[in-house]
Amino acid sequence: QVQLVESGGGSVQPGGSLRLSCAASGSIFSINDMGWYRQAPGKKRELVALRSSYGTTNYADSVKGRFSISRDDDKNTVYLQMNSLKPEDTAVYYCHILEHRPGGSDYWGQGTQVTVSS
């Protein structure tokens, strides 16, 4: 049974920084995408950043140049460094892992709140 545990959320002033972590327990297929999504009140969940096991990355236009995703495959952990935070970044952030194999699974974390406010 794979579980994703997120940490690092909190409240910060505009312009500040936060680093989110998501550690996966259990066995995950080595070819996978690790990513972060977010959902603000009244809005759909959206992709923030994704990093494949091959190293390719994908970022939402709204976070390019401010956020950076990284991963440590030895620890089955994905990180999201968030700089120059804006009030519109306020949301619940979820980590996600998608396995790339026939019959592969995808997994979601429980979510961590990020609030950007003065």
Side-chain angles (χ1 to χ4, degrees), residues 46 51 68 74 91:
E46 62 175 1
R51 189 175 186 98
S68 178
D74 290 338

Side-chain angles (χ1 to χ4, degrees), residues 66-116:
R66 300 188 298 121
F67 290 12
S68 178
I69 188 170
S70 60
R71 52 189 282 170
D72 184 337
D73 290 341
D74 290 338
K75 297 180 180 179
N76 273 349
T77 300
V78 59
Y79 306 94
L80 185 68
Q81 178 66 43
M82 305 185 292
N83 299 326
S84 302
L85 282 160
K86 304 176 181 180
E88 50 264 43
D89 295 318
T90 296
V92 178
Y93 284 69
Y94 299 89
C95 68
H96 178 252
I97 296 177
L98 174 65
E99 296 178 324
H100 288 291
R101 62 175 176 85
S105 300
D106 72 312
Y107 308 97
W108 289 94
Q110 80 283 0
T112 185
Q113 177 70 46
V114 171
T115 301
V116 185

